[in-house]
Amino acid sequence: IIPWLGFDSYFIQDGRGQSRGIWCLWNSEMWKVEILQSDFQFVHLKLRWKKQASWLLTVVYGSSNFQHLKAL
């Protein structure tokens, strides 16, 4: 499905329980992406658009399951 959506690169962090995980999708011709850290509720990335300065992005899935929240 990812190529059909028009992306050539991706990182998928698997979820737990009802969560389907976190999908990070990008085109490598435009973006340089480095996965710095990930867990089932977040992905922390370093991004660079073409030749611009790098910046950080953290994508978070906040579980509604109290046991998962308590584990953090």
Side-chain angles (χ1 to χ4, degrees):
I1 190 168
I2 293 170
W4 180 77
L5 292 172
F7 299 100
D8 66 359
S9 299
Y10 63 91
F11 175 80
I12 298 175
Q13 174 60 53
D14 291 330
R16 289 188 188 166
Q18 300 295 327
S19 168
R20 299 293 184 230
I22 300 171
W23 286 27
C24 301
L25 314 170
W26 64 92
N27 289 314
S28 61
E29 289 182 14
M30 294 183 259
W31 291 97
K32 177 175 171 37
V33 178
E34 179 182 350
I35 308 301
L36 300 176
Q37 189 174 5
S38 66
D39 198 350
F40 74 101
Q41 287 194 354
F42 74 90
V43 178
H44 189 56
L45 311 102
K46 183 176 181 180
L47 307 172
R48 189 177 70 188
W49 170 262
K50 297 187 179 181
K51 301 223 184 251
Q52 302 296 319
S54 296
W55 51 284
L56 301 174
L57 171 68
T58 301
V59 181
V60 176
Y61 169 78
S63 176
S64 59
N65 182 319
F66 182 73
Q67 294 300 323
H68 288 169
L69 293 174
K70 191 175 179 179
L72 296 175

